[in-house]
Amino acid sequence: MAEGTTIAGPSDSTSEYSQIKDLIDQPLSDGDTWYIIDLHWFNSWKKYVGWDKWDPNNVRDPACHPGNIDNLALLKENTMELKEHLTEDIDFALVPEPVWNLLVKWYQLTPGQEPIARKVVDHGMLTSYLRVEIYLTELKLAKYPETEKTCVKKFSKRDTLETVEKVLRDIFEIPENSNIHLWTKSSNQAYEELPMKKQSIQELSLMTNQTLVAEVQNEDGTWPRKTSYSKRSVVGASYSSLRHYDGDSSGSRSVQPGLCGLNNLGNTCFMNSVLQCMSNTPPIQRYFLEERHWAELNKENPLGNQGEIAKAFADLLKAMWSGQHHAFPPRAFKLQVGRFAPQFSGYQQHDSQELLTFLLDGLHEDLNRILKKPYIELKDADGRSDADVAREGWENYRKRNDSVIVDLFHGMLKSTLVCPECDKVSVTFDPTCYLSLPMPVKKERPIELYLARVDPEQKAMRYRVIVPKMGTILDLTEALSKLCGIPADHLIVADVHQHKFHQVFTNDSSISQISERDVIYAYELPERLGTPGTCCLGVYLKEVKTRNNYGYGSMFGVPFILQVPREGMDHDQLYQCIVTRMKRYLKSSDDQELAGPSSSDAITDISSTNQTVCENEMDTEDVDMSLENGNELPCREINGIDSAAKASQSKRLFSMDLVNLSGNSSLGKIKENGKLITLAAKSFVSCEWDPAVKELSYNAEAEKYAEDASSQQRVNVKKQVLQLKECLEVFTSIERLGADDAWYCPTCKKHVRATKKFDLWSLPEVLVIHLKRFSYTRSLRDKLDTLVEFPIRGLNMAPYIIDPNPTDAVYDLIGVCNHYGGLGGGHYTAYAKNKDDGCWHYFDDSSVSEASEESVCSKAAYVLFYIRRNQNGKWIKNVRPPLTKSSPAPVHKTHAKRNSANDSEEDMDSS
């Protein structure tokens, strides 16, 4: 390492590793402070200290030093606020306070930045569900009647409405002895009262950017909004404990029952799409609107939700089918889901299929007619016929699971495992409530990248290549080689981010590390990659506004890679190699004088004699920039190379600093002392420019690139159109288990990669088909936008059922859950067929519109709902008759009377 290094950190990487290892896995505890840290920096630190024992190559490598902790990539421009939609383990890591304190002690935080601290919050309501609260909830606070004048304040999800009220009183100077009502105000001027001041922001399902209005009581006891209502007791947030006024769609105008939109409460489109499909499933709609659930509620089921999911779902369906709402906020339903499935609390986007899985299971357990589940010992087939094993499996399952959900949604799969070593066959029959079908598409993807050639006169060229999704960088360079003519072994590939290298790939690196938003460059090398005695030197351009203070300055331009000798070059020769490569970027007409030997000439021409190891003997005195003091540097002659020496007489455009990969830590100045430099196999240099020199000499226009014909081809991967039957055929085909999914063979007494096959034994009344559009690996998240054509009418599943005596297996489509966009976000909508008019409708949150049958089948289709054409009605025979005692009044009737008192949950429970 060069003398004069500014690298900080303990000298013993083993000690650093061990200290953090003991602290990093500490459990979450309510109220503790954790810190957000940029994932790229954290991963760089892990490599530097040898966190992964199988990858010891970068341990204590100065080029891999992570430098100061830098969270800039996580922040909005010129602020300390986090960017939106950041994801843990993709964008950032979370570390507990003791780990953060050690990292700051060793590496310091980048000047000008502040720690990003967050509290651990218990998101659960009945059971503990601890999570670090990454984003606080921003509420717009206002005082009636000036509701457009708002003040934005941030709150934790655990803050209660009382806390919000105190802030409101302080902001608008409302006396403590003045009575106030708190309302939420929507964009359509609808007001909804929030009477539960002891409840938290999370329990009330308040979301970021929601407006809260304080209404202060007049001195005469009246209220400014002139709304009269009676006092009431409210036990819990439910549809019956919320009142809607003014702009609410629950007015006197009638709408067709079932054509009710659902308000987006904040990234809840995933939930709304599922609810619309379930609402338009005729047996489900009939069951809950006839209030059959009251007779079958199982509040004591330890696997259930105390009946609350079923009740909230029923209340929601009543509102949607009341004919009194154009749109309705499913706030109470979301509240109950968050209580019993805390992973769905908050306002992050989720997978609609995962929500559907929870909903079906939650409804089943809340309505399970089995009050005490017996213990059932599972048996293997042991040579018995499929019919006997299937019948036994279904009967055993029904002894523990008996509900309307099982009656309608549950079928049975046959699973066959075969040991490849002893041919042991294991057959089981398992219930399922949906079919999750793989999509047999070509595993290829397009990647856009830029090629920088050795010839400095040529612009970078943009290409688009087609590569295997799970391929390597070698596949990428070989594909590029076919287009540009440069041998693949003369190319090196890097990910460029914010004017520096985010990662320099090896040929073995996985292509899955490249995301769609990454900027990828391939650099031509004069010699083969890995030629002995050469170094691929990364070059950064940096504008330094404060001399001799490395922490201040900003990167600019596009970094590039030079292939130079590891030994035998001095300062002047390296300088000339860099200037030659930058020839096209320099404005001065005297650039020719600045250009010494090219990097390719330097590799073959420079003698390796009389070398001095840079890491031990580099001069640490400050370099005077001759452009600043006006003096030309003295002429030197090194190893007989006179051209480079003469060039040193010219004025310097920049000074040079050896840095780490991130470019944020100096490893030492490269001095004009005539000593030869020894570079590491991976080295990076920062060319530091004075702002005035950069303004005069650097031509930013030269950064523009040219277009190869391949980049103009907007569609390079042939768009496939799949048939649903192809997905079914793949689902029922034989596959070999992966190493991570090995099966334990009871005969061999070890885990083996067995073959596995699924077969359909029986199918339910309502068939749910999930198309597996999303795939996740450690380094890649991917979505398939391939169109899958599926029948609207007459889906014949008989060819796939192996039961020799199957029931009717022809199905008609009744609903589709759609997903548009990419991963980590996107938008969910639904198509559903109304049972009353037989027409298709499109549900996009609160918007409902009529749709053509042809539009239902699209490449956005994600979850399909089918119903058996010839329904036998057997399911209704299993349902208990409605309670003779009158059930609670449907909630929509209460909403229709604005001045009446609403029923509480206690009233509902007592019915």
Side-chain angles (χ1 to χ4, degrees), residues 295-362:
E296 299 192 323
L297 279 181
N298 186 344
K299 298 182 180 181
E300 307 302 322
N301 185 354
L303 299 179
N305 311 284
Q306 302 175 8
E308 297 296 337
I309 294 296
K311 290 195 293 183
F313 182 73
D315 281 351
L316 180 57
L317 257 62
K318 292 175 189 176
M320 295 172 69
W321 285 88
S322 66
Q324 299 179 18
H325 303 280
H326 291 280
F328 194 83
R331 194 180 306 280
F333 177 78
K334 184 183 184 302
L335 171 65
Q336 298 301 340
V337 170
R339 289 180 64 194
F340 297 99
Q343 67 269 28
F344 294 114
S345 63
Y347 300 98
Q348 297 297 312
Q349 183 70 282
H350 292 279
D351 189 323
S352 63
Q353 189 266 336
E354 293 178 0
L355 187 277
L356 175 62
T357 300
F358 164 77
L359 179 58
L360 291 176
D361 183 68

Side-chain angles (χ1 to χ4, degrees), residues 369 495 534:
R369 302 167 188 127
D495 177 1
T534 64

Side-chain angles (χ1 to χ4, degrees), residues 490-630:
H490 282 60
L491 293 168
I492 186 170
V493 181
D495 177 1
V496 175
H497 178 64
Q498 294 183 337
H499 312 290
K500 54 190 177 183
F501 295 122
H502 184 269
Q503 184 175 359
V504 178
F505 299 105
T506 66
N507 281 339
D508 295 330
S509 299
S510 173
I511 283 178
S512 64
Q513 297 180 52
I514 299 176
S515 69
E516 291 184 0
R517 62 185 179 183
D518 289 342
V519 178
I520 305 300
Y521 269 79
Y523 299 90
E524 181 186 6
L525 305 175
E527 302 290 331
R528 288 179 61 254
L529 178 63
T531 297
T534 64
C535 164
C536 288
L537 178 67
V539 181
Y540 298 145
L541 306 179
K542 183 175 185 179
E543 181 180 3
V544 181
K545 299 181 180 180
T546 304
R547 282 193 63 191
N548 301 328
N549 188 338
Y550 192 82
Y552 292 87
S554 58
M555 299 286 187
F556 68 92
V558 179
F560 54 91
I561 293 178
L562 289 176
Q563 192 177 35
V564 299
R566 289 189 60 184
E567 301 175 333
M569 298 187 75
D570 67 0
H571 171 281
D572 293 346
Q573 294 159 344
L574 179 59
Y575 177 86
Q576 295 308 318
C577 287
I578 294 174
V579 169
T580 298
R581 185 62 175 269
M582 291 187 62
K583 184 176 181 180
R584 187 166 55 86
Y585 296 91
L586 301 178
K587 295 179 181 178
S588 172
S589 60
D590 298 328
D591 294 342
Q592 298 293 337
E593 299 177 11
L594 294 172
S598 68
S599 61
S600 58
D601 295 333
I603 291 174
T604 56
D605 294 345
I606 294 178
S607 169
S608 61
T609 60
N610 301 322
Q611 299 165 3
T612 302
V613 178
C614 162
E615 295 163 284
N616 296 326
E617 299 183 21
M618 183 175 291
D619 192 347
T620 61
E621 295 176 359
D622 290 337
V623 175
D624 289 330
M625 297 179 66
S626 58
L627 281 170
E628 290 183 340
N629 57 32

Side-chain angles (χ1 to χ4, degrees), residues 739-754:
D740 295 335
D741 300 316
W743 171 64
Y744 183 79
C745 176
T747 303
C748 298
K749 306 295 184 184
K750 64 178 182 179
H751 287 87
V752 296
R753 295 183 61 188

Side-chain angles (χ1 to χ4, degrees), residues 69-83:
I69 300 172
D70 187 1
N71 287 327
L72 183 63
L74 305 178
L75 305 175
K76 295 179 180 178
E77 189 173 358
N78 299 323
T79 72
M80 283 302 299
E81 292 187 16
L82 284 178
K83 294 178 179 177

Side-chain angles (χ1 to χ4, degrees), residues 31-205:
D32 279 359
T33 300
W34 284 58
Y35 289 81
I36 295 174
I37 193 165
D38 179 71
L39 186 68
H40 175 61
W41 187 95
F42 195 55
N43 286 339
S44 298
W45 170 81
K46 285 184 172 182
K47 289 182 179 180
Y48 185 63
V49 301
W51 190 269
D52 297 315
K53 296 304 182 183
W54 50 265
D55 183 21
N57 298 327
N58 299 310
V59 177
R60 308 309 295 181
D61 182 348
C64 294
H65 188 281
N68 295 142
I69 300 172
D70 187 1
N71 287 327
L72 183 63
L74 305 178
L75 305 175
K76 295 179 180 178
E77 189 173 358
N78 299 323
T79 72
M80 283 302 299
E81 292 187 16
L82 284 178
K83 294 178 179 177
E84 297 176 355
H85 310 304
L86 296 178
T87 305
E88 185 179 1
D89 295 330
I90 299 294
D91 302 297
F92 65 87
L94 289 169
V95 297
E97 191 167 23
V99 171
W100 172 260
N101 290 338
L102 285 175
L103 292 175
V104 171
K105 175 183 175 182
W106 295 332
Y107 298 95
Q108 293 81 50
L109 187 61
T110 296
Q113 294 187 19
E114 299 174 2
I116 308 175
R118 292 294 186 265
K119 292 291 186 181
V120 176
V121 174
D122 193 345
H123 287 242
M125 299 180 192
L126 297 180
T127 59
S128 180
Y129 184 70
L130 298 173
R131 295 173 64 185
V132 178
E133 186 174 33
I134 304 301
Y135 293 100
L136 299 176
T137 302
E138 292 186 359
L139 298 178
K140 296 178 181 178
L141 307 182
K143 178 183 176 184
Y144 190 83
E146 297 177 315
T147 59
E148 300 304 318
K149 296 181 180 180
T150 61
C151 179
V152 177
K153 292 293 181 180
K154 294 183 179 181
F155 298 91
S156 168
K157 292 180 179 65
R158 67 192 301 166
D159 289 335
T160 64
L161 203 56
E162 286 182 337
T163 302
V164 178
E165 180 181 320
K166 290 178 181 178
V167 174
L168 270 163
R169 289 183 182 274
D170 290 341
I171 293 174
F172 298 106
E173 300 179 349
I174 303 173
E176 289 294 328
N177 59 355
S178 296
N179 293 327
I180 66 173
H181 286 149
L182 297 181
W183 305 81
T184 63
K185 175 186 166 223
S186 65
S187 58
N188 63 356
Q189 304 301 312
Y191 284 77
E192 180 180 307
E193 187 186 9
L194 299 172
M196 306 297 296
K197 295 185 180 181
K198 294 291 185 182
Q199 287 189 308
S200 68
I201 285 175
Q202 174 179 312
E203 291 172 317
L204 292 166
S205 296

Side-chain angles (χ1 to χ4, degrees), residues 617-893:
E617 299 183 21
M618 183 175 291
D619 192 347
T620 61
E621 295 176 359
D622 290 337
V623 175
D624 289 330
M625 297 179 66
S626 58
L627 281 170
E628 290 183 340
N629 57 32
N631 298 323
E632 293 185 355
L633 295 173
C635 178
R636 298 185 183 89
E637 183 172 343
I638 306 295
N639 295 332
I641 301 178
D642 190 56
S643 60
K646 289 181 179 178
S648 68
Q649 296 177 350
S650 303
K651 294 180 180 181
R652 301 295 185 201
L653 295 170
F654 49 80
S655 61
M656 296 182 294
D657 217 15
L658 281 176
V659 295
N660 62 344
L661 170 65
S662 300
N664 57 9
S665 287
S666 172
L667 308 183
K669 292 285 184 182
I670 300 177
K671 297 305 177 181
E672 301 176 76
N673 55 11
K675 295 180 179 180
L676 304 185
I677 303 170
T678 295
L679 298 170
K682 293 181 296 184
S683 295
F684 302 88
V685 63
S686 173
C687 300
E688 301 184 0
W689 297 62
D690 180 89
V693 176
K694 173 177 175 285
E695 179 69 23
L696 290 172
S697 303
Y698 185 78
N699 179 19
E701 290 294 315
E703 295 175 7
K704 295 181 178 179
Y705 55 85
E707 298 271 1
D708 178 71
S710 65
S711 67
Q712 303 298 323
Q713 299 172 8
R714 307 316 301 175
V715 180
N716 285 293
V717 179
K718 183 180 179 181
K719 292 295 183 181
Q720 291 179 266
V721 177
L722 296 175
Q723 302 299 317
L724 185 62
K725 66 177 183 179
E726 296 179 70
C727 301
L728 286 163
E729 288 168 358
V730 174
F731 178 74
T732 55
S733 63
I734 298 175
E735 65 171 342
R736 189 183 181 196
L737 298 178
D740 295 335
D741 300 316
W743 171 64
Y744 183 79
C745 176
T747 303
C748 298
K749 306 295 184 184
K750 64 178 182 179
H751 287 87
V752 296
R753 295 183 61 188
T755 59
K756 184 174 185 178
K757 187 180 189 304
F758 282 126
D759 289 293
L760 306 183
W761 183 260
S762 64
L763 293 177
E765 292 289 299
V766 180
L767 175 62
V768 178
I769 296 178
H770 164 229
L771 300 176
K772 296 175 70 173
R773 293 192 177 275
F774 302 108
S775 62
Y776 303 90
T777 65
R778 184 176 181 180
S779 54
L780 175 70
R781 300 183 301 166
D782 187 30
K783 183 195 173 185
L784 301 174
D785 281 321
T786 305
L787 173 64
V788 178
E789 293 184 340
F790 47 86
I792 306 298
R793 299 185 183 87
L795 171 63
N796 185 8
M797 295 294 291
Y800 307 100
I801 299 176
I802 63 172
D803 183 354
N805 300 302
T807 55
D808 182 76
V810 177
Y811 289 84
D812 296 321
L813 190 72
I814 56 172
V816 178
C817 175
N818 304 303
H819 181 270
Y820 299 92
L823 294 166
H827 183 58
Y828 287 94
T829 65
Y831 287 106
K833 188 176 183 179
N834 186 276
K835 71 175 185 63
D836 293 333
D837 63 12
C839 295
W840 284 93
H841 294 85
Y842 184 63
F843 297 86
D844 185 355
D845 288 332
S846 59
S847 173
V848 182
S849 58
E850 191 167 345
S852 65
E853 188 174 282
E854 294 75 21
S855 65
V856 174
C857 183
S858 73
K859 67 178 184 179
Y862 183 43
V863 182
L864 314 178
F865 286 71
Y866 282 92
I867 193 165
R868 196 189 305 276
R869 175 173 292 180
N870 297 319
Q871 301 178 52
N872 54 29
K874 182 179 179 181
W875 70 272
I876 196 66
K877 299 176 183 177
N878 295 335
V879 176
R880 294 172 183 170
L883 296 176
T884 54
K885 184 180 179 180
S886 60
S887 299
V891 68
H892 60 265
K893 294 180 180 178

